[in-house]
Amino acid sequence: MRTEDKLPEAEERPTDLARPRMTRTRRWLLGSTLAVYAATVIGVLTTSWLVKLDWQVMLFRPYKQWPEIHTFLDYFVVMGQRGPTAVAVAAWLGWCCHRQRTLRPLLVLGSSLLLLNITVGAVKLGFGRLGPHYATTVGSNEMWGNGDIFPSGHTANAVVTWGVLAYLATTPVARRVASLIATGFAFGVGMTTVYLGTHWLSDVVLGWAAGVLVLLALPWLEPVMYRAEVLLLGLWHRLRQHSGRPPVPVPVPFARPLAGSTLATPRTARDDELPPREPVGVTGSGRTPGGPTARVAEPRQHHTVRQHQHTPRSERTPVSPAGSRRPPHADRVPRAASGPYGSGSGSGRGHTTATGG
């Protein structure tokens, strides 16, 4: 049995895509973010201290307090605008798709932006809150008007667009670095909109919460993205066949298999690998029914290993150029010594020469 046919237990992937695992950290983040989202909405609807804080910051006029940074922040706020940021991140993720032979990075970005537009856009149009520059009554929450600033779209888009890079990171170090970059952009863009007077402070807080909720919901969209990737890759393969191009193997999607699918497939032989030998049966005179003579697979005969009895070194007879120094054993037949004096004579010091006759 080949060891390559077995998959290690550590590399086996779960087959259930419908139920993503909820870790303790993710549950805590989801619960706390939902609490912040609900508290912000209730605080604005009830014209609580949060609305009073909005008016205090607005009347402070930050753009008049620090006018020297106004030009820089006018450009920096673009980091939260959906069009430019989506194009920049999509270009990077497109290169990642080409290198990894998968559509998953672009599908994650598209799914997150679609979910962001649906959730944030619906809340914006539903509340209809007016911005600070269009406020009519001091101290009011400015709700149910013709506005569309609650929650802040720039802030939520900065959280999602840059947070997707951290979500797709493959190493812990890259994930931490991308998370810090996304946090910096999200915080900076949100406070910049407050500085410029385009959003209330509560708009920014709700935008942060809305963006984090979209990122936390991405694992539940993984099954849909996996099926969409399989569908798109299959369609692309069929289009190449209809166009007359040589067929190419469809890349395997970078995702977990669906429920009920097999984890391993039979291993195919490589080009440099010989096919397995099969025994050939013989009939009658040693010929197969429809072919030439073939050898019968016979079991290999194992030769017995000869066991030589070696004499210990202490019992060996020392040999000198003149002959042996010890007399021969009584049960040993003496050999005829051949030397310079002939085949029938031998001389030596300390031993008797025997002549066979």
Side-chain angles (χ1 to χ4, degrees):
M1 179 180 292
R2 299 180 180 272
T3 56
E4 294 87 355
D5 292 338
K6 291 185 177 181
L7 291 178
E9 295 182 0
E11 295 181 359
E12 291 185 358
R13 296 174 295 182
T15 59
D16 192 358
L17 284 177
R19 294 172 297 179
R21 293 185 302 173
M22 284 285 291
T23 61
R24 181 179 301 178
T25 303
R26 189 172 168 220
R27 285 196 297 265
W28 179 84
L29 285 174
L30 182 60
S32 59
T33 307
L34 285 174
V36 171
Y37 193 98
T40 305
V41 172
I42 294 173
V44 173
L45 290 177
T46 58
T47 317
S48 63
W49 61 269
L50 188 57
V51 175
K52 182 179 179 180
L53 180 62
D54 286 341
W55 278 98
Q56 289 177 351
V57 174
M58 180 265 187
L59 295 176
F60 181 69
R61 303 285 198 275
Y63 57 91
K64 291 185 177 180
Q65 302 295 329
W66 303 286
E68 59 275 6
I69 60 175
H70 194 285
T71 304
F72 169 74
L73 293 181
D74 272 337
Y75 291 101
F76 179 76
V77 78
V78 179
M79 302 304 294
Q81 194 169 350
R82 188 169 296 110
T85 56
V87 171
V89 175
W92 167 257
L93 295 182
W95 180 78
C96 294
C97 289
H98 174 72
R99 186 182 63 176
Q100 300 175 3
R101 304 300 180 186
T102 177
L103 297 178
R104 182 173 178 266
L106 286 178
L107 288 175
V108 170
L109 177 63
S111 302
S112 61
L113 292 180
L114 179 61
L115 184 61
L116 175 69
N117 289 334
I118 293 175
T119 56
V120 174
V123 176
K124 278 174 172 285
L125 297 178
F127 288 134
R129 191 181 189 186
L130 298 175
H133 292 313
Y134 302 97
T136 57
T137 306
V138 177
S140 65
N141 56 12
E142 301 296 333
M143 299 288 284
W144 323 117
N146 295 324
D148 55 352
I149 65 166
F150 184 71
S152 172
H154 279 70
T155 305
N157 184 75
V159 173
V160 172
T161 305
W162 303 110
V164 163
L165 298 180
Y167 179 81
L168 294 173
T170 56
T171 61
V173 176
R175 189 174 295 108
R176 294 190 188 99
V177 173
S179 299
L180 290 176
I181 294 175
T183 302
F185 278 136
F187 180 81
V189 169
M191 298 310 296
T192 299
T193 59
V194 175
Y195 169 86
L196 296 175
T198 56
H199 279 286
W200 305 98
L201 183 60
S202 56
D203 300 342
V204 174
V205 174
L206 194 65
W208 286 333
V212 173
L213 288 177
V214 170
L215 292 178
L216 291 175
L218 285 179
W220 282 300
L221 298 179
E222 287 288 349
V224 179
M225 290 185 285
Y226 173 78
R227 294 182 179 91
E229 184 176 9
V230 173
L231 180 63
L232 291 175
L233 290 178
L235 180 61
W236 173 76
H237 184 60
R238 289 193 295 269
L239 289 177
R240 286 184 62 91
Q241 288 181 339
H242 288 303
S243 62
R245 297 182 182 180
V248 294
V250 179
V252 178
F254 183 74
R256 295 174 293 178
L258 294 174
S261 61
T262 56
L263 291 178
T265 55
R267 192 176 64 89
T268 57
R270 297 188 295 269
D271 295 339
D272 57 347
E273 192 175 276
L274 296 177
R277 297 181 179 179
E278 298 181 357
V280 181
V282 178
T283 61
S285 61
R287 296 178 178 272
T288 56
T293 305
R295 293 190 304 173
V296 180
E298 299 179 355
R300 182 178 298 177
Q301 298 179 357
H302 299 280
H303 299 280
T304 58
V305 180
R306 297 181 179 179
Q307 297 181 357
H308 300 278
Q309 297 179 356
H310 299 280
T311 307
R313 187 178 184 87
S314 60
E315 298 180 4
R316 295 178 187 174
T317 305
V319 180
S320 64
S324 176
R325 295 182 182 179
R326 295 182 182 179
H329 293 280
D331 57 348
R332 181 180 298 176
V333 179
R335 291 186 303 178
S338 61
Y341 301 100
S343 60
S345 64
S347 62
R349 184 174 56 185
H351 85 285
T352 304
T353 304
T355 305

